[in-house]
Amino acid sequence: MIRTQYSNIRTFVSRLLRADATNGAGFRRERGAVWSLPKWAPVVCAVLLALSWPVSGSAQTVDASVGIGSAGSTGIAVNPVTNKIYICDTGNVVWVVNGATNTTTSVLTGGSSATAIAVNPVTNKIYVVDMTAASGTAGSVTVINGATNAVIATVPVGHSPQGIVVNPMTNRIYVANSSDKTVTDIDGYTNTATSSPISVGNGAEYMVVSPVTNQVFVANVYDNTVSVIDGG
């Protein structure tokens, strides 16, 4: 399993750094355009290679148990660069766990009914999906600066937002709005929605993103389908 994972990541890194003979380094999209190589790409490559490096096989045990309050946890994400883990709960709190010491601090998100959380390890930003408690009210995404634990923006999204993913290569954040059957595309540089919501299937909740192909995959619970979004 380790060798397979290492091989996949090495393929990704190799593709990222491969120079295009005519246009310079970058990926080639299906549409024929070429992405220029971001200045932070080597950092991402270094992190991915470090995470995939084989480790000696000792028995896997529970190292610690970290208390995170009494409210129900609804999402968890990790920043492998800073070694911090983020847990959101229904008490409108994001718990920050220091991975080196297994100690916690808390950050009030300012929203309500958090349903999911994601991290961009390149920009060190945390994104918390807030469904809001009021029926019929659209949700939002709270943006937290990982360096200061301060809330820096609140971005409106659709109704009943459930899932969220981040593409660190493009700094785009995608939020699945279950009731609206849409996905909101957020620009991480401006903290604003980039366009009209993208129509997907019924019951959009679970999402993954491929940084290599710049595609987002959305599982539609009630349609039994998966919508594939071209990141553009």
Side-chain angles (χ1 to χ4, degrees):
M1 181 178 298
I2 290 178
R3 289 182 178 177
T4 301
Q5 179 187 20
Y6 184 61
S7 175
N8 290 341
I9 292 178
R10 287 197 63 178
T11 300
F12 165 66
V13 172
S14 174
R15 186 175 178 183
L16 175 63
L17 297 179
R18 185 173 60 231
D20 184 273
T22 303
N23 299 287
F27 288 122
R28 186 173 295 280
R29 300 179 188 166
E30 294 180 359
R31 297 176 181 175
V34 175
W35 299 346
S36 59
L37 186 66
K39 62 182 180 181
W40 39 258
V43 176
V44 176
C45 294
V47 170
L48 291 174
L49 286 174
L51 291 175
S52 66
W53 200 262
V55 295
S56 59
S58 57
Q60 297 182 5
T61 60
V62 176
D63 291 334
S65 180
V66 184
I68 52 171
S70 58
S73 303
T74 54
I76 186 168
V78 62
N79 186 335
V81 177
T82 62
N83 195 18
K84 289 185 178 179
I85 301 89
Y86 300 87
I87 304 98
C88 61
D89 65 26
T90 55
N92 310 328
V93 170
V94 172
W95 296 89
V96 185
V97 178
N98 185 326
T101 62
N102 292 325
T103 57
T104 63
T105 59
S106 61
V107 181
L108 182 65
T109 67
S112 61
S113 301
T115 57
I117 190 169
V119 173
N120 186 335
V122 175
T123 62
N124 196 17
K125 299 295 188 299
I126 300 92
Y127 301 89
V128 186
V129 177
D130 301 313
M131 184 182 291
T132 75
S135 177
T137 303
S140 62
V141 171
T142 299
V143 186
I144 299 174
N145 185 330
T148 63
N149 288 340
V151 174
I152 58 176
T154 301
V155 185
V157 293
H159 295 82
S160 300
Q162 296 286 342
I164 184 169
V165 292
V166 175
N167 186 339
M169 303 301 299
T170 60
N171 199 15
R172 300 280 275 271
I173 301 91
Y174 300 89
V175 182
N177 307 304
S178 182
S179 295
D180 292 346
K181 306 176 186 178
T182 63
V183 168
T184 300
D185 177 7
I186 299 173
D187 185 335
Y189 294 107
T190 62
N191 292 322
T192 57
T194 59
S195 61
S196 300
I198 304 165
S199 296
V200 290
N202 189 13
E205 294 188 12
Y206 307 106
M207 310 172 70
V208 292
V209 62
S210 172
V212 175
T213 63
N214 194 22
Q215 290 178 310
V216 182
F217 301 85
V218 187
N220 307 303
V221 176
Y222 304 121
D223 277 353
N224 296 322
T225 61
V226 173
S227 299
V228 183
I229 300 172
D230 182 354

